Structures are given as structure tokens and as C-alpha cells.
Amino acid sequence: MDDIVEILEHELEDAVQVKNKDSLHRYVVLLAKNIVQKSAFDQNITEFRGDIRVLAETMKRGFETIDKRFEMIDKRFEAVDKRFEDMYTYMNKRFDAVDKRFEDIYKYMDKRFEDIDKRFTMMFTFMNIGFSILIIITIIFKFLQ
């Protein structure tokens, strides 16, 4: 570093007119302190690249972990969907069975009402025939008297 200070100081002294040598020396020292050596720069860049690689690998592993979690969540949702579909199918079968029972009950009740209707029809027919015969017999007895 001291070599750079001496070289810069000598070159600037030859290039420009120097009024204050101490000021020139302070300027050159400040300039030299702020100059980064190529080896230090290369080392810093290499360290940064290594850190970036580590960070990229960490992020990649994190994303892979997140992807696995999403896959697990998707599988759980699929399982829940399947359970709901199974439940829906089961409920449909139950409702179909209940519908069939009501249809059977309806057919049974309809048959019973038809049977009852036939009985009433026969009863009224026999009653009408009976009353008709009674009326005819009554008329015949009245006519004979």
C-alpha cells in the first residue's frame, strides 16, 4: 500500500504544480486507502458467489419442501373429495331405497283402495238389487190385495 502512495504522490507531483506537499500526501493516502486491491476484490466476489449459491440451494430445498407439502395437501383434498363422493353415492342409494319403499306403499295402498272400492260397489249393487226386489215384492203384494 505504501508503494502505491509513493508512486501516486511522485506522479502527481510531476504532473501538476504542487503548492502544499502535506496536502498532496494526505490526498494520495486517502485515495490509496479507498482503492481496492484486485485480489481482495476477487476474494470478495468469490465469497459472494458462494453465499449466493448457498442461498439458491436453500431456496431450492425450501421450494421443494413447499411443493411436497402442496402435494400432500392435494392428496388430502382428493381423499376428502372421495369421501364426499362416497357419501353422496351412499345417500343417493338410501334415497332411492326410500323412494322405492314409498312407491311400493303407494301401489299397496292403491290396490287396497281399489279392493275397497270394488267391495263398496258390490255392496251397493247387492243393496240396490235387494231393495229393488223388496220394492217389487211390495208392489206385487199391494197389487194382489
Side-chain angles (χ1 to χ4, degrees):
M1 182 73 95
D2 291 333
D3 294 337
I4 292 174
V5 170
E6 287 179 26
I7 293 170
L8 285 174
E9 193 173 341
H10 178 56
E11 290 297 322
L12 276 173
E13 204 173 313
D14 287 344
V16 294
Q17 182 183 16
V18 177
K19 294 182 182 176
N20 186 347
K21 282 199 172 220
D22 291 334
S23 176
L24 175 66
H25 181 71
R26 286 191 303 268
Y27 170 75
V28 171
V29 169
L30 281 172
L31 184 64
K33 283 182 182 177
N34 289 322
I35 292 176
V36 178
Q37 292 182 356
K38 184 173 180 356
S39 62
F41 177 76
D42 288 341
Q43 182 182 358
N44 285 342
I45 290 293
T46 305
E47 288 175 8
F48 283 137
R49 285 184 181 159
D51 290 345
I52 289 172
R53 278 192 195 111
V54 169
L55 185 62
E57 282 296 318
T58 304
M59 287 176 59
K60 184 178 177 183
R61 277 191 233 120
F63 287 133
E64 288 172 356
T65 304
I66 290 172
D67 287 343
K68 288 178 184 175
R69 287 185 183 164
F70 279 133
E71 288 174 11
M72 289 172 49
I73 290 171
D74 286 343
K75 287 179 183 176
R76 287 178 67 192
F77 276 122
E78 288 171 6
V80 169
D81 285 347
K82 186 174 181 339
R83 279 183 40 210
F84 277 118
E85 287 173 4
D86 292 345
M87 190 184 313
Y88 177 75
T89 304
Y90 175 73
M91 292 302 289
N92 276 344
K93 287 179 183 178
R94 293 279 309 261
F95 281 124
D96 289 342
V98 169
D99 285 346
K100 186 174 180 337
R101 280 183 52 206
F102 277 120
E103 287 174 6
D104 292 345
I105 290 171
Y106 175 75
K107 287 178 185 176
Y108 175 73
M109 294 301 289
D110 196 33
K111 188 175 186 267
R112 285 209 47 190
F113 282 124
E114 287 176 5
D115 290 345
I116 291 171
D117 189 40
K118 284 180 186 177
R119 283 186 198 161
F120 278 122
T121 304
M122 285 176 62
M123 184 178 74
F124 285 124
T125 303
F126 287 130
M127 284 176 61
N128 283 338
I129 291 172
F131 282 126
S132 297
I133 291 172
L134 273 172
I135 291 173
I136 292 175
I137 291 174
T138 309
I139 292 174
I140 292 176
F141 278 127
K142 285 258 184 181
F143 184 67
L144 291 176
Q145 286 182 2

